[in-house]
CSV table of all heavy atoms in Angstrom, one decimal:
chain,number,residue,atom,x,y,z
A,142,LEU,N,-34.0,-6.2,58.3
A,142,LEU,CA,-32.8,-5.3,58.4
A,142,LEU,C,-32.3,-5.1,57.0
A,142,LEU,O,-31.9,-6.0,56.2
A,142,LEU,CB,-31.7,-6.1,59.2
A,142,LEU,CG,-30.6,-5.2,59.7
A,142,LEU,CD1,-31.1,-4.2,60.8
A,142,LEU,CD2,-29.5,-6.1,60.3
A,143,MET,N,-32.5,-3.9,56.5
A,143,MET,CA,-32.2,-3.5,55.1
A,143,MET,C,-30.9,-2.7,55.0
A,143,MET,O,-30.9,-1.5,55.5
A,143,MET,CB,-33.3,-2.7,54.5
A,143,MET,CG,-33.1,-2.5,53.0
A,143,MET,SD,-34.4,-1.5,52.2
A,143,MET,CE,-34.1,0.1,52.9
A,144,ILE,N,-29.9,-3.3,54.5
A,144,ILE,CA,-28.6,-2.6,54.3
A,144,ILE,C,-28.7,-2.0,52.9
A,144,ILE,O,-28.9,-2.7,51.9
A,144,ILE,CB,-27.4,-3.6,54.4
A,144,ILE,CG1,-27.4,-4.1,55.9
A,144,ILE,CG2,-26.1,-2.9,54.0
A,144,ILE,CD1,-26.4,-5.3,56.0
A,145,SER,N,-28.4,-0.7,52.8
A,145,SER,CA,-28.7,-0.1,51.5
A,145,SER,C,-27.8,1.2,51.3
A,145,SER,O,-27.4,1.8,52.3
A,145,SER,CB,-30.1,0.3,51.4
A,145,SER,OG,-30.3,1.0,50.1
A,146,HIS,N,-27.4,1.4,50.1
A,146,HIS,CA,-26.8,2.7,49.7
A,146,HIS,C,-27.8,3.7,49.3
A,146,HIS,O,-27.5,4.9,49.0
A,146,HIS,CB,-25.7,2.5,48.6
A,146,HIS,CG,-24.6,1.7,49.1
A,146,HIS,ND1,-24.5,0.3,48.9
A,146,HIS,CD2,-23.4,2.1,49.7
A,146,HIS,CE1,-23.3,-0.1,49.4
A,146,HIS,NE2,-22.7,0.9,49.9
A,147,GLN,N,-29.1,3.3,49.1
A,147,GLN,CA,-30.1,4.1,48.6
A,147,GLN,C,-30.9,4.8,49.8
A,147,GLN,O,-31.7,4.1,50.4
A,147,GLN,CB,-31.1,3.3,47.7
A,147,GLN,CG,-30.5,2.7,46.4
A,147,GLN,CD,-31.4,1.8,45.7
A,147,GLN,OE1,-32.0,0.8,46.3
A,147,GLN,NE2,-31.7,2.1,44.5
A,148,LEU,N,-30.5,6.0,50.1
A,148,LEU,CA,-31.1,6.6,51.3
A,148,LEU,C,-32.6,6.9,51.0
A,148,LEU,O,-33.4,7.0,52.0
A,148,LEU,CB,-30.3,7.9,51.7
A,148,LEU,CG,-28.9,7.7,52.0
A,148,LEU,CD1,-28.3,9.0,52.6
A,148,LEU,CD2,-28.7,6.6,53.0
A,149,SER,N,-33.0,7.1,49.8
A,149,SER,CA,-34.4,7.3,49.5
A,149,SER,C,-35.2,6.1,49.9
A,149,SER,O,-36.4,6.3,50.3
A,149,SER,CB,-34.6,7.6,48.0
A,149,SER,OG,-34.0,6.6,47.2
A,150,ALA,N,-34.7,4.9,49.7
A,150,ALA,CA,-35.4,3.7,50.2
A,150,ALA,C,-35.3,3.6,51.7
A,150,ALA,O,-36.3,3.1,52.3
A,150,ALA,CB,-34.8,2.5,49.5
A,151,ALA,N,-34.2,3.9,52.3
A,151,ALA,CA,-34.1,3.9,53.7
A,151,ALA,C,-35.0,4.8,54.4
A,151,ALA,O,-35.4,4.6,55.6
A,151,ALA,CB,-32.6,4.2,54.1
A,152,ALA,N,-35.3,6.0,53.7
A,152,ALA,CA,-36.2,6.9,54.4
A,152,ALA,C,-37.6,6.4,54.7
A,152,ALA,O,-38.2,6.9,55.6
A,152,ALA,CB,-36.3,8.1,53.4
A,153,ALA,N,-38.0,5.3,54.0
A,153,ALA,CA,-39.3,4.8,54.3
A,153,ALA,C,-39.3,3.8,55.5
A,153,ALA,O,-40.4,3.2,55.8
A,153,ALA,CB,-39.9,4.1,53.0
A,154,CYS,N,-38.2,3.5,56.1
A,154,CYS,CA,-38.1,2.5,57.1
A,154,CYS,C,-38.5,3.1,58.5
A,154,CYS,O,-38.5,4.3,58.7
A,154,CYS,CB,-36.6,2.0,57.2
A,154,CYS,SG,-36.1,1.1,55.7
A,155,ASP,N,-38.8,2.2,59.4
A,155,ASP,CA,-39.2,2.7,60.8
A,155,ASP,C,-38.0,3.4,61.4
A,155,ASP,O,-38.2,4.3,62.2
A,155,ASP,CB,-39.6,1.5,61.6
A,155,ASP,CG,-40.7,0.7,61.0
A,155,ASP,OD1,-41.5,1.3,60.3
A,155,ASP,OD2,-40.8,-0.5,61.2
A,156,ARG,N,-36.8,2.9,61.2
A,156,ARG,CA,-35.7,3.5,61.9
A,156,ARG,C,-34.4,3.3,61.0
A,156,ARG,O,-34.4,2.4,60.2
A,156,ARG,CB,-35.5,2.8,63.3
A,156,ARG,CG,-34.5,3.4,64.2
A,156,ARG,CD,-34.8,3.1,65.6
A,156,ARG,NE,-35.0,1.7,65.9
A,156,ARG,CZ,-34.1,0.8,66.3
A,156,ARG,NH1,-32.9,1.2,66.5
A,156,ARG,NH2,-34.4,-0.5,66.5
A,157,ILE,N,-33.4,4.1,61.2
A,157,ILE,CA,-32.2,4.0,60.4
A,157,ILE,C,-31.0,4.0,61.4
A,157,ILE,O,-30.9,4.8,62.3
A,157,ILE,CB,-32.1,5.2,59.5
A,157,ILE,CG1,-33.2,5.3,58.5
A,157,ILE,CG2,-30.7,5.2,58.7
A,157,ILE,CD1,-33.3,6.5,57.6
A,158,LEU,N,-30.1,3.0,61.2
A,158,LEU,CA,-28.9,2.9,61.9
A,158,LEU,C,-27.8,3.4,61.0
A,158,LEU,O,-27.6,2.9,59.8
A,158,LEU,CB,-28.6,1.5,62.3
A,158,LEU,CG,-29.7,0.7,63.1
A,158,LEU,CD1,-29.2,-0.7,63.4
A,158,LEU,CD2,-30.0,1.5,64.4
A,159,VAL,N,-27.0,4.4,61.4
A,159,VAL,CA,-25.9,5.0,60.7
A,159,VAL,C,-24.6,4.5,61.3
A,159,VAL,O,-24.3,4.7,62.5
A,159,VAL,CB,-26.0,6.5,60.7
A,159,VAL,CG1,-24.9,7.1,59.8
A,159,VAL,CG2,-27.4,7.0,60.3
A,160,ILE,N,-23.8,3.8,60.4
A,160,ILE,CA,-22.5,3.2,60.8
A,160,ILE,C,-21.4,4.0,60.2
A,160,ILE,O,-21.4,4.2,59.0
A,160,ILE,CB,-22.4,1.7,60.5
A,160,ILE,CG1,-23.6,1.0,61.3
A,160,ILE,CG2,-21.1,1.1,60.9
A,160,ILE,CD1,-23.7,-0.5,60.9
A,161,GLU,N,-20.3,4.3,60.9
A,161,GLU,CA,-19.1,4.8,60.4
A,161,GLU,C,-17.9,4.1,61.2
A,161,GLU,O,-17.9,4.0,62.4
A,161,GLU,CB,-19.0,6.3,60.7
A,161,GLU,CG,-19.5,7.1,59.5
A,161,GLU,CD,-19.1,8.6,59.6
A,161,GLU,OE1,-18.8,9.1,60.7
A,161,GLU,OE2,-19.1,9.3,58.6
A,162,ASP,N,-17.0,3.7,60.4
A,162,ASP,CA,-15.8,3.0,60.9
A,162,ASP,C,-16.2,1.9,61.9
A,162,ASP,O,-15.5,1.7,63.0
A,162,ASP,CB,-14.9,4.0,61.6
A,162,ASP,CG,-14.3,5.1,60.7
A,162,ASP,OD1,-14.1,4.7,59.5
A,162,ASP,OD2,-14.2,6.2,61.1
A,163,GLY,N,-17.2,1.1,61.6
A,163,GLY,CA,-17.6,0.0,62.3
A,163,GLY,C,-18.3,0.3,63.6
A,163,GLY,O,-18.5,-0.5,64.5
A,164,GLN,N,-18.7,1.6,63.8
A,164,GLN,CA,-19.5,2.0,65.1
A,164,GLN,C,-20.8,2.6,64.7
A,164,GLN,O,-20.9,3.3,63.6
A,164,GLN,CB,-18.6,2.9,65.9
A,164,GLN,CG,-17.3,2.4,66.4
A,164,GLN,CD,-16.5,3.4,67.2
A,164,GLN,OE1,-16.4,4.6,66.8
A,164,GLN,NE2,-15.8,2.9,68.2
A,165,LEU,N,-21.7,2.6,65.6
A,165,LEU,CA,-23.0,3.2,65.4
A,165,LEU,C,-22.9,4.7,65.8
A,165,LEU,O,-22.6,5.0,67.0
A,165,LEU,CB,-24.1,2.5,66.3
A,165,LEU,CG,-25.5,3.1,66.1
A,165,LEU,CD1,-26.1,2.9,64.7
A,165,LEU,CD2,-26.4,2.4,67.2
A,166,VAL,N,-23.1,5.6,64.9
A,166,VAL,CA,-22.9,7.0,65.2
A,166,VAL,C,-24.2,7.8,65.3
A,166,VAL,O,-24.3,8.8,65.9
A,166,VAL,CB,-22.0,7.7,64.1
A,166,VAL,CG1,-20.6,7.1,64.2
A,166,VAL,CG2,-22.5,7.5,62.7
A,167,GLN,N,-25.2,7.2,64.7
A,167,GLN,CA,-26.6,7.8,64.7
A,167,GLN,C,-27.6,6.8,64.5
A,167,GLN,O,-27.4,5.7,63.9
A,167,GLN,CB,-26.7,8.9,63.6
A,167,GLN,CG,-26.0,10.2,63.8
A,167,GLN,CD,-26.3,11.2,62.6
A,167,GLN,OE1,-25.8,11.0,61.5
A,167,GLN,NE2,-27.1,12.2,62.9
A,168,GLN,N,-28.8,7.0,65.1
A,168,GLN,CA,-30.0,6.2,64.8
A,168,GLN,C,-31.2,7.0,65.0
A,168,GLN,O,-31.3,7.9,65.8
A,168,GLN,CB,-30.0,5.0,65.7
A,168,GLN,CG,-30.1,5.2,67.2
A,168,GLN,CD,-30.3,3.8,67.9
A,168,GLN,OE1,-31.0,3.0,67.4
A,168,GLN,NE2,-29.5,3.7,69.0
A,169,GLY,N,-32.3,6.6,64.2
A,169,GLY,CA,-33.5,7.4,64.4
A,169,GLY,C,-34.3,7.3,63.0
A,169,GLY,O,-33.8,6.7,62.1
A,170,HIS,N,-35.4,8.1,63.0
A,170,HIS,CA,-36.2,8.1,61.8
A,170,HIS,C,-35.5,9.1,60.8
A,170,HIS,O,-34.8,10.0,61.2
A,170,HIS,CB,-37.6,8.5,62.1
A,170,HIS,CG,-38.5,8.4,60.9
A,170,HIS,ND1,-38.8,9.4,60.0
A,170,HIS,CD2,-39.2,7.3,60.4
A,170,HIS,CE1,-39.6,8.9,59.1
A,170,HIS,NE2,-39.9,7.7,59.3
A,171,HIS,N,-35.8,8.9,59.5
A,171,HIS,CA,-35.2,9.8,58.5
A,171,HIS,C,-35.5,11.3,58.7
A,171,HIS,O,-34.6,12.2,58.6
A,171,HIS,CB,-35.7,9.4,57.1
A,171,HIS,CG,-35.5,10.4,56.0
A,171,HIS,ND1,-34.2,10.6,55.4
A,171,HIS,CD2,-36.3,11.3,55.5
A,171,HIS,CE1,-34.3,11.6,54.5
A,171,HIS,NE2,-35.6,12.0,54.5
A,172,SER,N,-36.8,11.6,59.1
A,172,SER,CA,-37.2,13.0,59.3
A,172,SER,C,-36.4,13.7,60.4
A,172,SER,O,-36.2,14.9,60.4
A,172,SER,CB,-38.7,13.0,59.6
A,172,SER,OG,-39.0,12.3,60.8
A,173,VAL,N,-36.0,12.9,61.4
A,173,VAL,CA,-35.2,13.4,62.5
A,173,VAL,C,-33.6,13.5,62.1
A,173,VAL,O,-33.0,14.5,62.3
A,173,VAL,CB,-35.3,12.5,63.7
A,173,VAL,CG1,-34.4,13.1,64.9
A,173,VAL,CG2,-36.8,12.5,64.2
A,174,LEU,N,-33.1,12.5,61.5
A,174,LEU,CA,-31.7,12.4,61.2
A,174,LEU,C,-31.3,13.4,60.2
A,174,LEU,O,-30.2,14.0,60.2
A,174,LEU,CB,-31.3,11.0,60.7
A,174,LEU,CG,-31.4,9.9,61.7
A,174,LEU,CD1,-31.1,8.5,61.1
A,174,LEU,CD2,-30.5,10.1,62.9
A,175,VAL,N,-32.2,13.7,59.2
A,175,VAL,CA,-31.9,14.6,58.1
A,175,VAL,C,-31.8,16.1,58.7
A,175,VAL,O,-31.2,17.0,58.0
A,175,VAL,CB,-32.9,14.6,57.0
A,175,VAL,CG1,-34.2,15.3,57.3
A,175,VAL,CG2,-32.3,15.0,55.7
A,176,GLU,N,-32.4,16.4,59.8
A,176,GLU,CA,-32.3,17.7,60.4
A,176,GLU,C,-31.1,17.8,61.3
A,176,GLU,O,-30.7,19.0,61.7
A,176,GLU,CB,-33.6,18.0,61.2
A,176,GLU,CG,-34.9,18.0,60.4
A,176,GLU,CD,-34.9,19.1,59.3
A,176,GLU,OE1,-34.2,20.1,59.6
A,176,GLU,OE2,-35.4,18.9,58.3
A,177,GLU,N,-30.4,16.7,61.7
A,177,GLU,CA,-29.3,16.8,62.6
A,177,GLU,C,-28.0,16.9,61.8
A,177,GLU,O,-27.9,16.4,60.6
A,177,GLU,CB,-29.2,15.5,63.4
A,177,GLU,CG,-30.4,15.3,64.4
A,177,GLU,CD,-30.2,14.0,65.2
A,177,GLU,OE1,-29.3,13.2,64.9
A,177,GLU,OE2,-31.1,13.7,66.0
A,178,ASP,N,-27.1,17.6,62.4
A,178,ASP,CA,-25.8,17.8,61.7
A,178,ASP,C,-24.9,16.5,62.0
A,178,ASP,O,-24.5,16.3,63.1
A,178,ASP,CB,-25.1,19.0,62.2
A,178,ASP,CG,-23.8,19.3,61.5
A,178,ASP,OD1,-23.6,18.7,60.4
A,178,ASP,OD2,-22.9,20.0,62.0
A,179,GLY,N,-24.8,15.6,61.0
A,179,GLY,CA,-24.1,14.4,61.3
A,179,GLY,C,-23.8,13.6,60.0
A,179,GLY,O,-24.1,14.2,58.9
A,180,ALA,N,-23.4,12.4,60.2
A,180,ALA,CA,-23.0,11.5,59.0
A,180,ALA,C,-24.3,11.3,58.1
A,180,ALA,O,-24.1,11.4,56.9
A,180,ALA,CB,-22.5,10.2,59.6
A,181,TYR,N,-25.4,11.1,58.7
A,181,TYR,CA,-26.6,10.8,57.8
A,181,TYR,C,-26.9,12.0,56.9
A,181,TYR,O,-27.2,11.8,55.7
A,181,TYR,CB,-27.8,10.4,58.7
A,181,TYR,CG,-29.0,10.0,57.8
A,181,TYR,CD1,-29.1,8.7,57.2
A,181,TYR,CD2,-30.0,10.9,57.5
A,181,TYR,CE1,-30.2,8.4,56.4
A,181,TYR,CE2,-31.1,10.6,56.7
A,181,TYR,CZ,-31.1,9.3,56.1
A,181,TYR,OH,-32.2,8.9,55.4
A,182,ARG,N,-26.9,13.2,57.5
A,182,ARG,CA,-27.2,14.4,56.7
A,182,ARG,C,-26.3,14.5,55.6
A,182,ARG,O,-26.6,14.9,54.4
A,182,ARG,CB,-27.2,15.6,57.6
A,182,ARG,CG,-27.6,16.9,56.9
A,182,ARG,CD,-27.8,17.9,58.0
A,182,ARG,NE,-28.1,19.2,57.3
A,182,ARG,CZ,-28.3,20.3,58.0
A,182,ARG,NH1,-28.3,20.4,59.3
A,182,ARG,NH2,-28.6,21.5,57.4
A,183,ARG,N,-25.0,14.3,55.8
A,183,ARG,CA,-24.0,14.4,54.8
A,183,ARG,C,-24.2,13.4,53.7
A,183,ARG,O,-24.1,13.7,52.5
A,183,ARG,CB,-22.6,14.2,55.4
A,183,ARG,CG,-22.1,15.4,56.3
A,183,ARG,CD,-20.6,15.3,56.6
A,183,ARG,NE,-20.2,14.0,57.2
A,183,ARG,CZ,-20.3,13.8,58.5
A,183,ARG,NH1,-20.6,14.8,59.3
A,183,ARG,NH2,-19.8,12.7,59.0
A,184,LEU,N,-24.5,12.2,54.0
A,184,LEU,CA,-24.9,11.2,53.0
A,184,LEU,C,-26.1,11.5,52.3
A,184,LEU,O,-26.1,11.4,51.0
A,184,LEU,CB,-25.1,9.8,53.7
A,184,LEU,CG,-23.8,9.1,54.3
A,184,LEU,CD1,-24.2,7.9,55.2
A,184,LEU,CD2,-22.8,8.7,53.3
A,185,TRP,N,-27.1,12.1,52.9
A,185,TRP,CA,-28.3,12.4,52.2
A,185,TRP,C,-28.1,13.6,51.2
A,185,TRP,O,-28.6,13.5,50.1
A,185,TRP,CB,-29.4,12.8,53.3
A,185,TRP,CG,-30.7,13.3,52.7
A,185,TRP,CD1,-31.0,14.6,52.6
A,185,TRP,CD2,-31.7,12.5,52.1
A,185,TRP,NE1,-32.3,14.7,51.9
A,185,TRP,CE2,-32.7,13.5,51.7
A,185,TRP,CE3,-31.9,11.2,52.0
A,185,TRP,CZ2,-33.9,13.0,51.0
A,185,TRP,CZ3,-33.1,10.8,51.4
A,185,TRP,CH2,-34.1,11.7,50.9
A,186,GLU,N,-27.4,14.6,51.7
A,186,GLU,CA,-27.1,15.7,50.8
A,186,GLU,C,-26.3,15.3,49.6
A,186,GLU,O,-26.5,15.8,48.5
A,186,GLU,CB,-26.3,16.8,51.6
A,186,GLU,CG,-27.2,17.5,52.6
A,186,GLU,CD,-26.5,18.5,53.5
A,186,GLU,OE1,-25.2,18.5,53.4
A,186,GLU,OE2,-27.1,19.3,54.2
A,187,ARG,N,-25.3,14.3,49.8
A,187,ARG,CA,-24.5,13.9,48.7
A,187,ARG,C,-25.4,13.1,47.7
A,187,ARG,O,-25.2,13.3,46.5
A,187,ARG,CB,-23.4,13.0,49.3
A,187,ARG,CG,-22.4,12.6,48.2
A,187,ARG,CD,-21.3,11.6,48.9
A,187,ARG,NE,-20.8,12.3,50.1
A,187,ARG,CZ,-20.1,11.6,51.0
A,187,ARG,NH1,-20.0,10.3,50.9
A,187,ARG,NH2,-19.6,12.2,52.0
A,188,GLU,N,-26.3,12.3,48.2
A,188,GLU,CA,-27.2,11.6,47.3
A,188,GLU,C,-28.1,12.5,46.5
A,188,GLU,O,-28.3,12.3,45.3
A,188,GLU,CB,-28.0,10.5,48.1
A,188,GLU,CG,-28.9,9.7,47.2
A,188,GLU,CD,-29.7,8.6,47.9
A,188,GLU,OE1,-29.0,7.7,48.4
A,188,GLU,OE2,-30.9,8.7,48.0
A,189,GLN,N,-28.6,13.5,47.2
A,189,GLN,CA,-29.5,14.5,46.5
A,189,GLN,C,-28.8,15.2,45.4
A,189,GLN,O,-29.3,15.5,44.4
A,189,GLN,CB,-30.2,15.4,47.5
A,189,GLN,CG,-31.1,14.7,48.5
A,189,GLN,CD,-32.2,14.1,47.8
A,189,GLN,OE1,-33.0,14.7,47.1
A,189,GLN,NE2,-32.4,12.7,48.1
């Protein structure tokens, strides 16, 4: 279980859990989450 602020490292994982305000808001592989309009995509665009 890798907790990270580096989304580039998280992109290589089997699955990603996205947490906001103590709740699970998204989960899935990087290639799927980055195409969805949600918290993960916003975090990814901010890092890029």
